[in-house]
């Protein structure tokens, strides 16, 4: 449990609050590059850390992310005309480039220099690996993009999706650190109904995992985040270790199962205090994703639901930021909970891993009152990550420490791992190399 | 009119407020037993006195009413698996019985005793007369259930329905104490369009009632509530007295009309400050309800609307507590007000007594600003009941008095009455016995 | 830009706030007379300056505007029976006339004089020129109605429409003072797609207007409001002047184009802080409106959208005040923005002048944070009108000055003008007579 004060520090992302200030020191992935498919494509509404913004790709292909309100009289730049190297407000024709510079002010007399005095708030954007990232902080020069392994591999080795979750970002993130819930939330009542290995065949490690619902947890903090290791009995002289990674400020990866499997993880981006943009990535560090793997992500496998939420992106009304990213299995319809399925075959009765996660996390309310919790031994990872985040925010705003990892992109090249170790081995030492990213080399996953 | 302070005391039901504390000393009817039809049936969302709760019937048939949020990390127990003698959270498998005891914590190591240290908030429930009651107070041992007469008769002598009204519970309750509005709100413009006696033939008493729209009111407070008597001229030497009862904290009964008629009343249960669970009961103390009587309750009589609101219970999305209990004649569609009907035949133009009541009560707003009222002589009963409730709440929280009636279940065995008395008779004395419940004997209703 | 304090003074209309107090000193147009088409027609919900009210026409044809809540126990008078010279509450039959007098209290005993002690809040109403006006102030005797020119001409010389805009009234009004936006918001990319003159042929003045997107603005305040003049280069020795009028507290007129054209303007009536009742009037001071002119208002011209918003008035659910006046091109569907149209033919891509205005004004949010603005030289008129309004409110509540114009109805007989003047002429002198209303004489519009 957390105090009410710490709960606020942990969860709230306003620009003047500790966590909001800390988060603004990191690059933030906020759209697929294909959401702005070509020069001059339609502007989109975006909301990040509680700020309403307009994203566009100008006629030269550059990405802009501007304040929603035109600095003149506040009309929304969402309506803007995407013209020659800038976005032009439809109200009086003021035109801004991706840097926020006012290029034209046609309702002012030609001799006026007013346009040189007005800028619109603009956040720098870059594209990498099919994703658009922005930086909402004030440090100059800009830090480098984090070298996340999925972002370093060729395009055909990667699959990305996103959806909106209607609860706080930390609540969402915690689900990815909590490695014990899959024995329950995502499980079947009978072995024959169990979710298949997502990719390839079930391994011996997965058998160990499914056999033991109460692993022992250990954590290790480091310069970029927290390692969360779950230990299960394997053979009489071995333990089976599964190691998740949390990387500042909102990245998580978890070990896959299967033979030479792709690796998956999430980016839990705060839209505002009450909503999260949930990124899901799957990649193989060594080879292109196969057709069966892509099929499992899009449509599922062996009668299971698609691994990635399949949304009809941006086809819904545009009036709302990320309007098309709200799944149809939602709080308003109880995620299509099927009580008969719950009684007879599945532990939960909601179809699809992502929907199962969304259901329990949203059911806590927008921001859970963590002072009402009762954390057990399976929550060791959650406790460590919360503490890491709160300490980082506090020390940053007090001027005692830089944002962990923000200045060191290479530390982000990291992986999950799953290992079989002798009972007296140190997992941290033994897994050290396996936990580093090695684009071009397969994961170490038993 | 009430001061703003008294209006708050009267209406607000939070656990730390005077009326909220008082209400928690009484048994609260909150579901039909048939809403949880069998062991292991689907859990249901409930909201009472502003608290979100989950009701379920375990595999042994016992009823549980637990806090919505699992004490572990706050996932909703609505999603819970109804398993062997307990409800199991789908997130990590923690399982609780109807008493709130944690029976199993499968993600903790076997040697852990953490489950002995964690409980979920659980309110005791009992079933009587087809209704599930709970007790949200702290007095131990539990008080006895109130001996309401309708709850003491055999099942075939009783009919129950419920619906949600979108306003404060006192505002709803006041409509049942206010015996003068039926001459207007529920009336017809022409005798031939007048609502028939609900059951059987119109009596002479009903003729007296309809003839005099401005009765003289008197009240009498007693250990369990308030008697509200309406006096109308009958014959030159007689008065016609109709006596309603208010019983603590939210029960009302009113005298029926017709020959040997069933008796009806309401229970006005606060869902929260702004919503009321409206129970409607009809029973005959001596004999089974007849087919024509049941037909009138379900479908109406002589072209009138059903006496009881007919809702498709719990078929609506479950996402909301009591989701299926919101009638289709609602504020959002002006209760299907028919102005032509209002002009030509009915005083109001909304069809159905319950909908007429809901319309005017909800139109006051969620909680009416009673300091803007102008109460007349027909409001004597309302004034007395408000005062009774406010005094009871104040005296209870100040430690000066016990909750009226809570410890004496027998005093709840009470009835309404309608009597023809000599002009010099005392109604309170003359009606004394008629106002007591006598299961097995017909009502005294002239 | 404005300070936050001045922004509040300018925009907020509550009865106890400076602008709210000032606005209540003026007559307020709030319904078409045809909305209450005949004696005894259906009561309507109205909301003005944040107050919920019920409008009705009694059996003698008089208009009443009463508080929503019956003074007895607060039931809504919207449900009221429109009976012989009064509105009768359906709850207990209390009946009030258009002056607020209680005519009948049938649930009180005949000897009671309680009805002489109770009144319902009632605002006086008058009809003129097809419009119902009310006065919510306290000055007695009532001031005279303003002699707006459109209201002084015969009925067949006038066309009126109304709609709701979901933002603050000043934000709406500012759009009508801002004469430079039509070169952008309402314009076409190519001359052949340009909106035609609304009525008749394009004049030389309109050519001057369209040629110069950055006019020079001058303003002149006077006893009833503000003149806003836009100067454009015409011929080498002439300027083209277009003069808009703002009249207290919410009237605007703007110069039309075309040969002997009708004149148009708006009344921006505050429903509450966040919603505006937008009146649009078009009239010809000398002759009946022609069929082609009426057709252009209702259905548009040359493929353009209707000049007046065409709404299916009061056919929508009655549950909401002005429920039927919310256009179907709305914020929730981005005003049916057509990006392809925006790319190829129109500056904006939303169809219809009124919808274009609504889109940008509502996109600022309910009340724009004016301290974030950057006002340019085209905003001179807006600055002057805001200052006029704020000063008037402040001086009125401090007792230093009467509400400008309220006591002098004749000063409201005013017009816009568009003139070609020598470069050394004073527009204020030269246009003086043209700016006065002359029912029976055509406008001076070049």
């Amino acid at each position: 449990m957390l105090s009410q004060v710490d709960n606020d520090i942990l969860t709230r992302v306003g620009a003047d609050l500790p966590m909001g200030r800390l988060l603004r020191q990191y690059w933030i992935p906020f759209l697929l590059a294909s959401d702005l498919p070509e020069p001059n494509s339609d502007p989109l509404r975006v909301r990040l850390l509680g700020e309403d913004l307009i994203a566009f790709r100008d006629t030269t292909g550059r990405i802009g992310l501007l304040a929603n309100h035109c600095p003149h009289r506040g009309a929304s730049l969402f309506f803007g005309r995407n013209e020659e190297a800038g976005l032009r407000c439809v109200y009086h024709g003021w035109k801004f480039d991706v840097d926020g510079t006012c290029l034209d002010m046609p309702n002012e007399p030609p001799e006026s220099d007013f346009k040189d005095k007005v800028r619109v708030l603009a956040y720098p954007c870059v594209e990498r690996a099919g994703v658009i990232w922005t930086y909402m902080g004030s440090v100059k020069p800009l830090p480098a993009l984090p070298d996340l392994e999925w972002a370093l591999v060729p395009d055909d080795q990667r699959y990305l999706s996103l959806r909106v979750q209607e609860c706080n970002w930390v609540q969402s993130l915690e689900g990815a650190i909590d490695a014990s819930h899959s024995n329950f939330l995502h499980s079947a009542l009978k072995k024959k109904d169990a979710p298949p290995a997502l990719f390839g065949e079930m391994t011996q490690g997965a058998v160990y995992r499914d056999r033991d619902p109460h692993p022992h947890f250990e954590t290790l903090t480091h310069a970029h985040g927290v390692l969360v290791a779950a230990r299960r009995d394997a053979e009489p002289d071995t333990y089976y270790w599964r190691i998740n990674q949390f990387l500042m400020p909102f990245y998580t990866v978890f070990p896959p199962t299967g033979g030479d499997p792709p690796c998956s993880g999430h980016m839990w981006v705060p839209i505002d205090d009450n909503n999260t943009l949930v990124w899901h990535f799957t990649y193989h560090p060594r080879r292109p994703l196969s057709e069966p793997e892509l099929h499992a992500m899009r449509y599922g496998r062996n009668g299971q639901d698609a691994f990635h939420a399949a949304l009809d992106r941006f086809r819904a009304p545009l009036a709302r930021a990320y309007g098309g990213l709200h799944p149809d299995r939602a709080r308003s319809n109880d995620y299509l909970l099927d009580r008969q399925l719950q009684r007879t075959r599945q532990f939960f009765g909601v179809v699809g891993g992502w929907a199962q996660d969304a259901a329990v996390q949203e059911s806590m309310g927008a921001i859970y009152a963590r002072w009402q919790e009762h954390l057990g031994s399976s929550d060791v990872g959650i406790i460590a990550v919360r503490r890491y985040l709160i300490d980082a925010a506090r020390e940053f705003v007090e001027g005692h420490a830089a944002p962990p990892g923000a200045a060191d992109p290479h530390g982000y090249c990291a992986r999950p791992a799953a290992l079989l170790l002798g009972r007296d081995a140190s997992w941290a030492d033994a897994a050290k190399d396996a936990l580093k990213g090695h684009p071009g080399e397969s994961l170490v996953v038993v």
Side-chain angles (χ1 to χ4, degrees), chain A:
Chain A
M1 55 170 282
L2 281 185
S3 72
Q4 199 158 345
V5 168
D6 276 359
N7 202 38
D8 268 10
I9 292 179
L10 179 66
T11 55
R12 297 195 185 271
V13 301
D16 53 347
L17 299 175
M19 192 61 71
R21 288 178 57 190
L22 180 70
L23 287 165
R24 280 167 175 78
Q25 310 310 311
Y26 295 88
W27 285 95
I28 299 173
F30 71 96
L31 279 180
L32 288 171
S34 57
D35 289 327
L36 296 172
E38 56 194 12
N40 209 356
S41 49
D42 295 352
L44 292 176
R45 286 194 183 92
V46 165
R47 187 168 162 86
L48 291 174
L49 305 181
E51 298 183 30
D52 287 316
L53 304 164
I54 305 299
F56 72 108
R57 189 187 292 272
D58 77 9
T59 52
T60 73
R62 290 179 304 171
I63 306 284
L65 184 62
L66 309 182
N68 175 46
H69 291 295
C70 175
H72 177 209
R73 294 239 320 280
S76 175
L77 291 175
F78 171 73
F79 297 133
R81 301 181 53 75
N82 202 339
E83 292 187 353
E84 186 70 27
L87 192 66
R88 192 184 286 281
C89 179
V90 294
Y91 203 1
H92 300 89
W94 291 20
K95 179 175 162 186
F96 303 92
D97 71 8
V98 298
D99 299 322
T101 303
C102 187
L103 300 176
D104 192 18
M105 216 179 244
N107 70 331
E108 284 291 303
E111 67 277 12
S112 162
D113 66 349
F114 192 44
K115 82 174 157 60
D116 303 330
K117 299 178 178 161
V118 175
R119 298 184 61 80
V120 68
L121 175 72
Y123 293 121
C125 298
V126 296
E127 289 177 72
R128 183 195 271 186
V131 168
I132 309 174
W133 311 67
T134 191
Y135 181 76
M136 299 168 71
S138 52
V139 172
K140 292 281 158 66
L142 300 180
L145 276 179
D147 283 336
L148 295 152
E149 190 174 39
W150 67 262
L152 301 181
V153 300
D155 287 353
D156 59 359
Q157 297 180 209
R158 173 199 320 122
Y159 185 84
L160 293 158
S161 67
L162 34 78
R163 64 180 169 88
V164 170
Q165 192 159 306
E166 295 180 359
C167 66
N168 183 264
W169 69 289
V170 181
Q171 211 157 298
S172 307
L173 182 157
E174 287 170 347
I177 295 158
D178 163 14
S180 85
H181 76 261
S182 62
N183 287 83
F184 306 96
L185 189 72
H186 304 312
S187 72
L189 299 184
K190 295 169 195 156
K191 192 156 185 180
K192 72 174 177 60
D193 295 319
L198 276 165
F199 311 109
E201 294 307 304
M202 190 67 94
T203 59
Q204 183 58 29
V207 173
Y208 297 143
R209 181 196 61 182
D210 295 345
R211 196 163 75 184
D212 181 358
H214 36 68
H216 166 81
F217 283 93
E218 297 184 9
T219 67
L220 195 68
T221 62
H222 56 85
H224 287 74
V226 182
L227 297 170
V228 181
R231 186 191 77 198
R232 288 172 169 93
D233 292 344
E235 304 304 326
D237 55 345
T238 53
Y239 287 133
Y240 177 59
W241 289 92
R242 296 179 59 81
I243 306 169
N244 289 30
Q245 295 225 30
F246 162 73
L247 299 166
M248 283 291 288
F250 41 52
Y251 303 102
T252 54
V253 284
F254 62 92
T257 60
D260 191 23
C263 176
S264 290
H266 294 86
M267 315 193 277
W268 309 92
V269 173
I271 293 174
D272 51 30
D273 286 352
N274 300 332
N275 295 278
T276 308
L277 182 65
V278 180
W279 287 88
H280 189 179
F281 55 80
T282 299
Y283 70 105
H284 199 290
R286 191 183 50 76
R287 60 160 175 80
L289 296 171
S290 68
E291 272 311 311
E293 285 165 346
L294 288 167
H295 191 274
M297 288 184 260
R298 289 180 183 130
Y299 310 110
R301 193 178 172 214
N302 295 11
Q304 301 290 318
D305 191 58
F307 184 42
H308 284 247
L311 302 183
D312 188 12
R313 311 212 44 227
F314 300 108
R315 294 291 82 78
L318 302 168
R320 192 170 168 187
Y322 299 118
L325 292 175
H326 290 259
D328 60 348
R329 277 167 265 170
R331 187 165 38 177
S332 56
N333 60 15
D334 280 329
Y335 312 89
L336 304 178
L337 171 61
D338 178 341
R339 291 281 189 193
Q340 193 55 24
L341 183 66
Q342 185 184 39
R343 274 193 194 91
T344 56
R345 298 175 58 197
Q346 301 291 342
F347 193 80
F348 189 170
V350 161
V351 173
W354 63 265
Q356 291 158 359
D357 284 325
V360 292
Q361 290 163 19
E362 292 180 348
S363 81
M364 298 171 193
I367 302 183
Y368 189 58
R370 288 180 177 74
W371 54 93
Q372 300 180 355
E373 290 176 332
H374 295 78
L375 298 185
S377 56
S378 72
D379 300 306
V380 163
I382 287 172
I383 293 167
V385 169
R386 288 180 187 172
R387 183 49 48 201
Y388 193 97
L389 278 164
I390 293 169
D391 288 349
R394 214 176 245 142
E395 288 175 21
F396 172 66
V397 299
E398 288 171 359
H400 299 152
D408 175 17
H410 306 303
Y412 280 90
C413 194
R415 296 174 168 188
L419 303 151
L420 200 64
L421 297 177
R423 293 214 168 192
D424 51 1
S426 152
W427 67 270
D429 292 339
K432 195 162 193 176
D433 194 59
L435 293 167
K436 283 192 187 136
H438 293 286
E441 295 179 23
S442 287
L443 294 171
V444 177
V445 181
V446 175

